[in-house]
Amino acid sequence: MHKALLLITVCFLFNMAGAQSPALSRKERTTRERILINEGWKFMRYTGAPDNLSYDVRPEVTDRNDNVVADTKPTESIKVAEDNNVLKPWILPVANEFIKDPAKHHQRPPGHPGGRSLFVQNNFNDQDWESVTLPHDWAIKGPFYKEANAIVGGGMGRLPIQGVAWYRRKLTITAADEHKSIYLDIDGAMSYAIVWLNGHLVGGWPYGYNSFRLDLTPYVKPDGDNQLAIRLDNPLNSSRWYPGGGIYRNIWLTKVNKVHVAQWGTFITSRDVSASAATVDLGVSIENKSTTDQRIEVITDVYRMDDQLNRTGNKIATFPSSLSIVPGGQKIKTEKSVSIKDPVLWGPPPAQKPNLYVAVTRLLSNGTVIDEYETRFGIRSLQFDPLKGLLVNGEPVRFQGVNQHHDLGALGAAFNTRAAERQLEMLREMGCNSIRLAHNPPAPELLDLTDRMGFLVIDEIFDSWERKKTPLDFHLIFPDWHEPDIRAFMRRDRNHPSVIAWSFGNEVGEQYTAEAGAAWAKKLHAIVREEDSTRPATASMNYAKPDMPFPKEMDILNLNYQGEGIRDAPAYAHLRGIRTSPLYPAFQKQFPDKLIVSSETASALSTRGTYIFPVFNGISAPVSDSTGGDPKQQYVSAYELYTAAFGASADKVFASQDKHPYVAGEFVWSGWDYLGEPTPYYSARSSYSGIIDLAGFKKDRFYLYQSRWRPDLPMAHILPHWTWPERNGAITPVHVFSSGDEAELFLNNKSLGRKKRGAYEYRFRWDSVVYQPGELRVVTYKNGKKWAADKVRTAGNAARLQLSADRSNIQADGKDLSFITVRVVDNKGLLAPRAGNNIQFELSGPGEIVATDNGNPADLVAFPSKERKAFNGLALVIVRAKAGTAGAITITARSGGLVSGQVIVKSR
């Protein structure tokens, strides 16, 4: 019998509190306030020489080339001399909360460096600075760097991410808060964040993707204005993709009584989960910031939640109360259990439902509530079986996953819940049920969405450890921050029901260093297991082989590209780099008790709606300037056969997985195009690897994955389009993606043959079709019966613009968005599939145009532009309603020689 890794746990979405409670005294009136402070900020980014402050000394960068193949071997770090004129000694003590060994805690030096800077002073006049609302990405508005040797190249998105910037805001603290603990909670700031309050250096956090908390209490002036100043420093050559710049996630001010539930202070797990009962275990960490011991009672009630995350009905369970003495200046942890009868389980659709609960924890002192803390969670069991794969609540679920970077296309890194929800909705339509967060902690709200929508998530941290991939990446701070970063990341996320595994590294250079690298893997793995022993911990491997020491330290085996083989097919024989035969069997033989999953597959490349001839006659080939690529236009053919140098087509991946059914599934690189890393054309701005382009338009590959991942959905999709006036009489291959098993193609009602899909074939191909204008139509069959059909027609000249909104009603909250598609059509309403008309956008009413896009990776028009060329007949305009103003927002698109188009979006 094969040993399976069994996981049963219960998880929370995010922690939130704020209910009013009976007054304790004039000094302690409320339990907890969590105040969003995203508005009212002043912002300045240096255009000249920055200030004399720095987190630490950095090595000099002599090679700024970022056109590097993604699986290039990482290199050793460069040592730099220590410098006493840095702020690191004052920042490191913030990490102590997340360093287990007290002997390794950092001692803060005396003083407040930077306190004389003009920007931290209360009386500094910042009226000439830019007014911004958070989340804010200073780089996304551009302009793009277009020159060949740009200071920021294609790897980091050709946008001005670099530099030092300051954010300033006043905080009003009342006399009622005098005896509270007051914290600043930053969900993400890129990067090297350092915070001052009233001229005092509070602390900071260098890793730009983690959430962190700073204690403002010692520096607060009660009953008056308090000046908050935040300095960020974003280095060049610090990332392999677009990182964004700025305070790009939410910021909160948290006010609590001196005794309170600690930061990320609840952890809920469960055991003995069945349809009839589940035992739920709750740990609560209580912090006492006062100087005296406190006698505290802890009571936690459990409620169901509806689809809108509201409590429903009466409480369904109550944990036994606990009574504890919490020593002054210390923390304690209480642990209790409760049995929940007939639990509604959390699981991924469509077979299961993502049911959720909320636990409401109250701290009482002398019978009076002094803190209240909410924990959303779900009950589910997971089993990782080496042969059966993943079982959720006892039911097998195959990973039909994608990798997602953190940017939101034309919106940049500034997180927006609706934009992220739109991405997930489209992925779910394709049949995707799993997300790997590449390669960093996400915004907290993203995991709220995956919990509510039922996605399975591999939560990941670190693209590098000690060895570097870019000159100034995370390796510079890894020695000091790997432990606190892991623990903070996990304590924030560890109870989300959607998170089913941890990844603590992606393709790290330590794969190459034998026992030394494995020792680092073992050390990091131990930290992960200390924080959460209920989920498997792993790191993704693109180089480590079964006989190497590195994979031994993993609970499950996350393979990047190695399952289907790297540069192993004849079309890839001329390429240099990692060369690996398909290794599923070798890993399975070496580790028969470990589940295997492909954490990155494919890395196929294409530009939507672009078809380049001739077409490769095999199933997978690396793109080149002569095969599938157009270096002049920077296009890659959308026949979906072409890949990165280390990649493989979807067809090749599917065949490899089907030949090895013990593999638990895949995470495709990538779900959406993302900013930066524009393989193969580094003079472009964004990637080519997405199944969906940067604007949110589906590539043909979308339907190839849908045909596999939704086999019960009747669907068929023809490519290419059929408007080729210059190809009359020329061979123009036709491919069809369908969930059916047979297909018949018709050109102008003449059958071109009926084909049955063979073993390990995933598309229907008619590679000898001679083009003639008219109608191309396919009828597909399944088990001998008609299943689905599709057709494409030759379009006429572009005649008018058609606008449609993804949502015609949005909230007037200054955050909600409507994504409006513009189609260039002929006079019969057919999409003009090669149209590139220049389009001007206008808006009237209580809204604003946030950005425009068209999905073309080579388009270097700045995203805020209200003028955009269509790309292969499509363009996008993103509209936001103004806060507090309801009404009709009219969006008009105009283009010379075309009938204009219009759509109305209502804000409420």
Side-chain angles (χ1 to χ4, degrees):
M1 178 180 294
H2 293 274
K3 182 174 68 176
L5 176 62
L6 181 63
L7 171 78
I8 300 177
T9 189
V10 176
C11 310
F12 71 77
L13 282 174
F14 80 103
N15 298 317
M16 168 181 165
Q20 296 288 332
S21 68
L24 291 178
S25 67
R26 292 176 61 87
K27 296 179 180 178
E28 295 180 323
R29 294 181 179 174
T30 60
T31 58
R32 172 181 292 250
E33 293 180 86
R34 190 167 187 256
I35 306 164
L36 190 64
I37 55 169
N38 283 349
E39 297 182 351
W41 290 87
K42 289 291 188 175
F43 165 77
M44 185 278 293
R45 174 173 166 259
Y46 280 100
T47 55
D51 50 45
N52 293 320
L53 304 171
S54 65
Y55 172 80
D56 199 2
V57 178
R58 297 185 185 125
E60 181 182 359
V61 178
T62 57
D63 181 6
R64 295 194 178 276
N65 174 44
D66 67 355
N67 185 356
V68 178
V69 178
D71 67 344
T72 300
K73 178 181 178 180
T75 56
E76 289 186 85
S77 60
I78 297 173
K79 303 298 182 184
V80 293
E82 293 289 337
D83 189 328
N84 293 327
N85 190 30
V86 299
L87 303 183
K88 183 171 75 168
W90 285 265
I91 307 304
L92 284 173
V94 177
N96 289 345
E97 178 72 21
F98 305 96
I99 298 175
K100 183 179 180 181
D101 183 357
K104 296 181 179 179
H105 285 188
H106 305 280
Q107 297 300 314
R108 177 175 168 134
H112 291 275
R116 294 185 179 182
S117 170
L118 288 176
F119 302 155
V120 309
Q121 306 301 322
N122 197 304
N123 60 359
F124 174 74
N125 186 353
D126 56 18
Q127 293 309 301
D128 291 337
W129 289 16
E130 182 182 355
S131 296
V132 298
T133 298
L134 310 181
H136 175 240
D137 178 356
W138 78 56
I140 194 59
K141 63 184 179 182
F144 287 100
Y145 293 107
K146 301 178 182 180
E147 58 271 25
N149 296 309
I151 189 170
V152 181
M156 292 179 76
R158 297 193 164 268
L159 287 164
I161 59 88
Q162 78 282 9
V164 171
W166 286 82
Y167 291 81
R168 284 170 48 92
R169 187 192 193 276
K170 289 286 199 299
L171 299 177
T172 300
I173 308 297
T174 68
D177 300 321
E178 184 175 359
H179 296 280
K180 298 289 184 70
S181 287
I182 299 176
Y183 298 102
L184 185 70
D185 293 329
I186 299 179
D187 286 345
M190 190 63 67
S191 54
Y192 291 93
I194 303 176
V195 177
W196 286 260
L197 184 69
N198 297 325
H200 297 92
L201 177 57
V202 181
W205 201 282
Y207 184 48
Y209 294 104
N210 250 351
S211 302
F212 62 97
R213 164 173 283 187
L214 298 175
D215 188 356
L216 302 181
T217 313
Y219 315 111
V220 165
K221 296 177 181 178
D223 202 16
D225 283 342
N226 291 259
Q227 182 61 56
L228 185 64
I230 302 175
R231 181 188 188 272
L232 301 182
D233 182 3
N234 233 20
L236 292 164
N237 301 101
S238 58
S239 176
R240 297 190 296 120
W241 56 82
Y242 176 75
I247 304 174
Y248 68 109
R249 294 175 183 167
N250 291 326
I251 287 192
W252 307 84
L253 193 68
T254 300
K255 303 177 183 180
V256 289
N257 290 314
K258 293 296 183 181
V259 182
H260 53 268
V261 176
Q263 180 190 20
W264 305 318
T266 55
F267 187 23
I268 304 180
T269 58
S270 67
R271 48 194 162 85
D272 304 324
V273 175
S274 69
S276 59
T279 300
V280 179
D281 302 319
L282 168 66
V284 180
S285 294
I286 306 168
E287 185 170 26
N288 182 1
K289 299 289 282 188
S290 75
T291 57
T292 60
D293 297 353
Q294 300 288 325
R295 190 169 182 265
I296 301 298
E297 184 180 13
V298 182
I299 299 175
T300 301
D301 299 321
V302 178
Y303 300 83
R304 283 284 310 278
M305 303 202 82
D306 62 20
D307 293 341
Q308 301 304 312
L309 303 182
N310 299 311
R311 296 187 204 175
T312 61
N314 298 322
K315 63 184 179 182
I316 63 167
T318 299
F319 285 87
S321 64
S322 65
L323 193 61
S324 304
I325 300 297
V326 188
Q330 296 186 31
K331 285 183 182 179
I332 68 163
K333 182 178 180 180
T334 68
E335 296 181 335
K336 294 293 179 180
S337 302
V338 70
S339 179
I340 294 181
K341 294 182 178 180
D342 303 319
V344 289
L345 303 183
W346 186 97
Q352 303 185 49
K353 293 183 179 180
N355 296 299
L356 294 166
Y357 292 89
V358 61
V360 181
T361 299
R362 290 171 290 148
L363 305 187
L364 291 83
S365 175
N366 296 320
T368 301
V369 176
I370 60 171
D371 195 14
E372 187 171 300
Y373 191 90
E374 291 192 359
T375 307
R376 299 176 190 161
F377 67 94
I379 301 174
R380 85 284 192 271
S381 69
L382 302 179
Q383 186 177 357
F384 294 83
D385 188 283
L387 294 181
K388 298 177 182 177
L390 174 67
L391 285 79
V392 182
N393 302 319
E395 299 179 11
V397 178
R398 187 169 183 79
F399 289 113
Q400 298 179 171
V402 300
N403 287 269
Q404 287 285 92
H405 266 300
H406 75 301
D407 75 74
L408 296 169
L411 301 175
F415 188 80
N416 178 277
T417 298
R418 172 55 200 160
E421 182 181 46
R422 172 180 177 247
Q423 289 194 344
L424 293 174
E425 287 173 347
M426 293 186 67
L427 292 171
R428 183 167 60 184
E429 179 190 351
M430 183 175 65
C432 173
N433 64 8
S434 311
I435 307 292
R436 175 174 174 246
L437 298 170
H439 304 288
N440 41 259
E445 294 82 2
L446 180 66
L447 293 180
D448 297 341
L449 287 171
T450 56
D451 286 344
R452 180 169 58 82
M453 299 174 73
F455 283 89
L456 304 169
V457 172
I458 294 181
D459 208 355
E460 185 164 81
I461 192 169
F462 302 154
D463 188 49
S464 59
W465 297 347
E466 283 194 316
R467 297 175 73 85
K468 61 184 171 68
K469 295 181 180 179
T470 64
L472 301 179
D473 65 18
F474 181 78
H475 82 278
L476 295 178
I477 56 177
F478 180 83
D480 292 325
W481 287 90
H482 62 271
E483 181 184 359
D485 269 316
I486 288 177
R487 294 191 192 277
F489 150 68
M490 293 184 63
R491 289 179 195 177
R492 191 198 73 172
D493 293 352
R494 64 184 173 182
N495 297 324
H496 284 274
S498 56
V499 175
I500 55 90
W502 304 108
S503 175
F504 53 88
N506 171 67
E507 300 180 355
V508 295
E510 284 72 10
Q511 294 176 97
Y512 295 82
T513 59
E515 296 292 346
W520 263 116
K522 184 175 184 178
K523 180 178 180 180
L524 299 176
H525 180 272
I527 296 172
V528 174
R529 298 293 285 179
E530 285 175 358
E531 291 296 323
D532 178 16
S533 61
T534 70
R535 295 180 178 87
T538 188
S540 292
M541 300 173 287
N542 68 326
Y543 175 79
K545 303 300 185 288
D547 59 347
M548 295 180 180
F550 196 90
K552 296 177 183 177
E553 306 304 330
M554 307 301 146
D555 295 329
I556 60 177
L557 300 174
N558 277 21
L559 305 183
N560 286 7
Y561 310 105
Q562 296 199 75
E564 60 266 25
I566 301 174
R567 297 183 180 90
D568 70 309
Y572 299 78
H574 63 288
L575 299 175
R576 298 178 63 184
I578 297 172
R579 193 174 304 279
T580 302
S581 59
L583 286 180
Y584 288 140
F587 272 101
Q588 206 272 337
K589 181 179 179 180
Q590 184 70 23
F591 301 101
D593 293 338
K594 293 186 179 183
L595 176 142
I596 298 173
V597 63
S598 275
S599 43
E600 285 183 31
T601 63
S603 198
L605 309 174
S606 61
T607 45
R608 172 190 49 80
T610 302
Y611 307 93
I612 297 172
F613 304 95
V615 176
F616 180 63
N617 60 9
I619 65 166
S620 187
V623 67
S624 69
D625 292 349
S626 59
T627 305
D630 179 344
K632 182 178 180 181
Q633 300 294 329
Q634 300 169 74
Y635 296 160
V636 178
S637 177
Y639 272 94
E640 310 298 6
L641 297 168
Y642 305 99
T643 77
F646 54 86
S649 69
D651 306 65
K652 184 183 178 189
V653 173
F654 294 166
S656 182
Q657 294 228 333
D658 286 347
K659 292 173 183 177
H660 306 98
Y662 51 82
V663 177
E666 66 170 315
F667 291 82
V668 180
W669 191 269
S670 56
W672 281 58
D673 277 342
Y674 54 94
L675 291 166
E677 207 172 21
T679 304
Y681 300 119
Y682 267 68
S683 54
R685 68 180 191 193
S686 54
S687 76
Y688 293 72
S689 59
I691 300 170
I692 300 168
D693 74 19
L694 199 72
F697 301 135
K698 301 167 185 173
K699 300 182 185 180
D700 293 286
R701 211 177 329 145
F702 179 97
Y703 301 98
L704 179 55
Y705 282 98
Q706 189 182 63
S707 71
R708 177 173 175 85
W709 288 351
R710 298 185 66 183
D712 296 328
L713 175 70
M715 56 78 62
H717 176 77
I718 298 175
L719 66 135
H721 62 74
W722 210 240
T723 304
W724 301 100
E726 77 281 17
R727 296 190 64 78
N728 277 321
I731 291 178
T732 306
V734 176
H735 294 188
V736 171
F737 306 144
S738 177
S739 49
D741 53 30
E742 280 187 273
E744 187 172 10
L745 186 68
F746 299 86
L747 177 56
N748 294 327
N749 290 321
K750 180 181 178 181
S751 176
L752 300 184
R754 181 162 168 167
K755 295 178 179 287
K756 182 181 286 286
R757 199 165 59 193
Y760 307 118
E761 291 181 356
Y762 304 94
R763 64 175 75 197
F764 301 97
R765 300 178 67 146
W766 288 264
D767 285 329
S768 301
V769 178
V770 176
Y771 178 79
Q772 58 178 260
E775 180 182 87
L776 195 65
R777 176 171 57 92
V778 69
V779 177
T780 65
Y781 301 83
K782 195 164 190 174
N783 299 323
K785 297 181 179 179
K786 282 190 178 181
W787 181 248
D790 189 29
K791 61 185 175 183
V792 291
R793 295 174 181 167
T794 304
N797 294 329
R800 55 192 174 92
L801 301 176
Q802 253 181 18
L803 274 65
S804 60
D806 72 327
R807 293 155 73 240
S808 56
N809 290 279
I810 60 176
Q811 297 294 321
D813 59 4
K815 303 173 186 177
D816 202 4
L817 302 173
S818 181
F819 293 83
I820 297 165
T821 297
V822 182
R823 301 174 77 247
V824 183
V825 299
D826 68 8
N827 56 16
K828 294 182 179 179
L830 292 176
L831 179 73
R834 301 168 76 179
N837 303 68
N838 200 49
I839 303 171
Q840 298 84 38
F841 297 99
E842 302 169 4
L843 181 146
S844 62
E848 59 181 328
I849 293 174
V850 181
T852 62
D853 194 9
N854 56 20
N856 178 4
D859 187 345
L860 299 184
V861 174
F863 288 123
S865 175
K866 296 179 176 60
E867 188 169 322
R868 176 81 51 187
K869 285 185 176 181
F871 180 58
N872 293 329
L874 299 177
L876 176 77
V877 57
I878 305 172
V879 170
R880 176 170 56 211
K882 292 183 178 179
T885 307
I889 304 168
T890 302
I891 302 94
T892 303
R894 306 182 190 278
S895 184
L898 305 183
V899 177
S900 61
Q902 195 172 85
V903 70
I904 295 175
V905 175
K906 294 181 179 179
S907 67
R908 63 180 189 274

